[in-house]
């Protein structure tokens, strides 16, 4: 290239090459930003283009572009045989999905909320999770059940429940709970390609969240946690939208000189115990933040694993911050009291550091 870089002095061929290199460099520096719902739609659309066996079924996924607009434009591209609106009958269309998977298709079944999945739980637990074993491996069940989990504002008791630990308790299922658009896209693509049933749990309060997501294809392996923030004083483990509470607490604690390492599990079955244990062996302290009732929670399981496998590394008892052990109320003051809050995480971190 000549010493000067006046593009007008290049011949047409070299000028186009120069502009192409500049455009490529800009794209590498400035990655596009998209919403969580767009990441979900992209993952499904890309996999449907890749594999004609993949289809989407659920309430309002087609004509309405999805209850949360997470399937926007998909009906237009793929047509009504692959993007299918259903009646309000979760048991029925979950069962159709299981049967389709047994016959070689790869369905994505959307629940408008996992609160409604309780109507279909027989199909999920007794059929999808068990047919591979009960058939002696003759059938695989490549199916994804996806939709929002946990609370989404003032929706009261029956529309605000977190069922991650319920489904994670069942052998035969994989359970994914992403916390951001980048992870959501990569994990959903992996879930759709998986030959076993995957529970993919989102959040109504995250669909508008934005993050950098590359246009190029990428996959994130199921079962691998991610260290979102490096730290040295205490390990905070969380997943899903409630991890934002951990981020807020870590920012406040950093002002006091307390360094928090934050691990996003991303998948709660299987759990990446190795990443958690490695961090605890470094920081010697653990706080777990989870939006779920305390009894039988993911936090309980991680606490057991750490005391069993890293007890000698702990300098303080493990602390967990969960939802309160009661159905969630409607009043905003009670919603705040019910959910984990940054101040609770800050208090727990100070406790394990003996600063209270």
């Amino acid at each position: 290239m000549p010493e000067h870089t006046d593009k007008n002095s290049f011949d047409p061929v070299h000028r186009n090459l120069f502009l192409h290199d500049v455009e490529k460099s800009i794209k590498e520096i400035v990655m596009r930003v998209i919403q969580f719902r767009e990441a979900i739609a992209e993952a499904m659309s890309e996999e449907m283009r890749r594999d004609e066996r993949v289809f989407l079924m659920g309430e309002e996924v087609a004509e309405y572009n999805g209850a949360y607009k997470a399937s926007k434009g998909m009906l237009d591209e793929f047509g009504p045989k692959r993007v299918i609106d259903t009646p309000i009958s979760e048991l029925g269309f979950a069962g159709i999905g299981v049967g389709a998977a047994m016959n070689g298709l790869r369905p994505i079944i959307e629940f408008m909320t996992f609160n409604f999945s309780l109507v279909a739980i027989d199909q999920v637990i007794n059929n999808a999770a068990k047919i591979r074993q009960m058939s002696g491996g003759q059938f695989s069940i490549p199916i994804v059940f996806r939709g929002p989990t946990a609370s989404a504002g003032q929706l009261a008791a029956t529309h605000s429940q977190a069922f991650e630990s319920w489904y994670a308790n069942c052998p035969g299922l994989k359970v994914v709970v992403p916390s951001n658009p980048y992870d959501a896209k990569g994990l959903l693509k992996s879930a759709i390609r998986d030959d076993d049933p995957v529970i993919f749990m989102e959040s109504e309060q995250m669909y508008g969240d934005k993050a950098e997501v590359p246009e190029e294809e990428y996959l994130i392996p199921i079962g691998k946690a991610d260290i979102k923030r490096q730290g040295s004083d205490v390990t905070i483990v969380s997943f899903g939208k409630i991890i934002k509470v951990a981020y807020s607490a870590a920012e406040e604690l950093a002002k006091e000189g307390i360094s928090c390492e934050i691990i996003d599990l991303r998948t709660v079955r299987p759990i990446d115990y190795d990443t958690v244990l490695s961090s605890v062996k470094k920081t010697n302290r653990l706080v777990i933040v989870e939006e779920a009732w305390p009894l039988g929670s993911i936090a309980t399981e991680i606490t057991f694993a750490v005391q069993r496998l890293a007890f000698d590394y702990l300098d303080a008892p493990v602390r967990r911050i969960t939802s309160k052990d009661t159905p969630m109320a409607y009043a905003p003051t009670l919603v705040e009291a019910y959910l984990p809050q940054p101040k609770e995480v800050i208090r727990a971190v100070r406790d394990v550091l003996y600063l209270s």
Side-chain angles (χ1 to χ4, degrees):
M1 184 178 289
E3 293 182 1
H4 61 279
T5 57
D6 180 5
K7 65 179 183 295
N8 293 318
S9 66
F10 294 163
D11 61 75
V13 173
H14 285 87
R15 180 174 181 273
N16 288 337
L17 288 173
F18 174 81
L19 293 175
H20 177 268
D21 289 343
V22 170
E23 182 180 5
K24 182 178 179 182
S25 298
I26 292 173
K27 284 185 177 180
E28 290 175 352
I29 296 171
V30 184
M31 190 182 297
R32 66 177 186 150
V33 174
I34 64 173
Q35 291 184 335
F36 194 106
R37 59 170 57 90
E38 294 173 302
I40 294 293
E42 280 191 2
M44 294 190 293
S45 296
E46 288 175 12
E47 293 306 302
M48 288 175 71
R49 294 182 197 116
R50 174 181 174 272
D51 188 340
E52 64 181 10
R53 297 172 298 171
V54 180
F55 69 93
L56 173 65
M57 175 184 287
E59 297 158 3
E60 298 184 349
V61 299
E63 296 289 347
Y64 192 64
N65 286 311
Y68 313 105
K69 300 299 179 280
S71 53
K72 186 175 181 180
M74 292 179 63
L75 175 63
D76 293 338
E77 178 174 355
F78 300 105
K81 289 187 177 181
R82 296 185 68 194
V83 182
I84 305 167
D85 276 333
T86 67
I88 302 174
S89 179
E90 286 80 6
L91 178 63
F93 63 77
I96 290 172
V98 172
M102 291 178 67
N103 282 278
L105 299 180
R106 307 185 77 88
I108 306 167
I109 302 300
E110 178 179 312
F111 295 125
M112 194 176 293
T113 160
F114 267 93
N115 294 283
F116 303 156
S117 75
L118 298 188
V119 181
I121 202 166
D122 179 60
Q123 291 291 344
V124 178
I125 300 297
N126 284 331
N127 290 335
K130 295 181 173 63
I131 283 173
R132 178 188 284 273
Q133 188 212 46
M134 293 194 302
S135 69
Q138 295 179 76
F139 290 99
S140 60
I141 309 293
I143 187 170
V144 176
F145 298 99
R146 55 157 291 270
T149 183
S151 64
Q154 293 177 255
L155 298 181
T158 61
H159 286 192
S160 303
Q161 302 165 105
F163 293 118
E164 296 91 321
S165 61
W166 284 36
Y167 286 112
N169 184 253
C170 181
L173 299 176
K174 298 176 182 178
V175 183
V176 179
V177 196
S179 67
N180 60 80
Y182 176 86
D183 288 353
K185 182 177 180 181
L187 285 164
L188 183 53
K189 287 171 69 69
S190 293
I192 295 169
R193 297 186 190 188
D194 202 290
D195 287 332
D196 291 313
V198 179
I199 307 295
F200 195 91
M201 308 181 94
E202 304 152 15
S203 169
E204 293 173 54
Q205 293 181 318
M206 288 198 300
Y207 286 120
D209 288 359
K210 296 181 178 180
E212 292 183 342
V213 177
E215 294 184 42
E216 299 77 16
E217 180 175 80
Y218 65 97
L219 300 173
I220 296 175
I222 293 173
K224 183 62 179 174
D226 189 34
I227 299 175
K228 298 298 189 186
R229 181 186 180 113
Q230 296 283 345
S232 57
D233 294 328
V234 60
T235 299
I236 302 177
V237 172
S238 189
F239 58 90
K241 81 169 188 294
I242 207 67
I243 200 171
K244 296 177 184 179
V245 169
Y247 293 149
S248 296
E251 288 296 325
E252 289 301 311
L253 289 162
K255 298 174 184 177
E256 304 175 23
I258 298 172
S259 175
C260 299
E261 181 149 292
I262 298 180
I263 296 176
D264 185 348
L265 290 179
R266 302 198 293 198
T267 303
V268 297
R269 187 179 184 104
I271 293 174
D272 183 359
Y273 295 104
D274 289 342
T275 296
V276 176
L277 291 169
S278 295
S279 180
V280 170
K281 289 177 180 179
K282 178 178 70 173
T283 66
N284 310 116
R285 293 168 175 85
L286 175 62
V287 173
I288 308 166
V289 184
E290 179 182 3
E291 182 181 351
W293 296 309
L295 185 63
S297 61
I298 301 299
T300 302
E301 167 60 23
I302 292 176
T303 299
F304 168 78
V306 169
Q307 69 82 29
R308 174 68 179 83
L309 300 171
F311 181 80
D312 290 339
Y313 291 89
L314 290 171
D315 286 342
V318 176
R319 288 291 306 274
R320 66 178 185 180
I321 310 298
T322 66
S323 303
K324 304 306 179 290
D325 198 14
T326 181
M328 197 178 91
Y330 174 79
T333 50
L334 295 178
V335 170
E336 181 179 357
Y338 172 83
L339 294 172
Q341 299 295 331
K343 62 184 179 183
E344 295 176 284
V345 181
I346 291 170
R347 188 182 309 119
V349 169
R350 288 175 177 159
D351 283 349
V352 299
L353 290 167
Y354 302 109
L355 296 175
S356 296

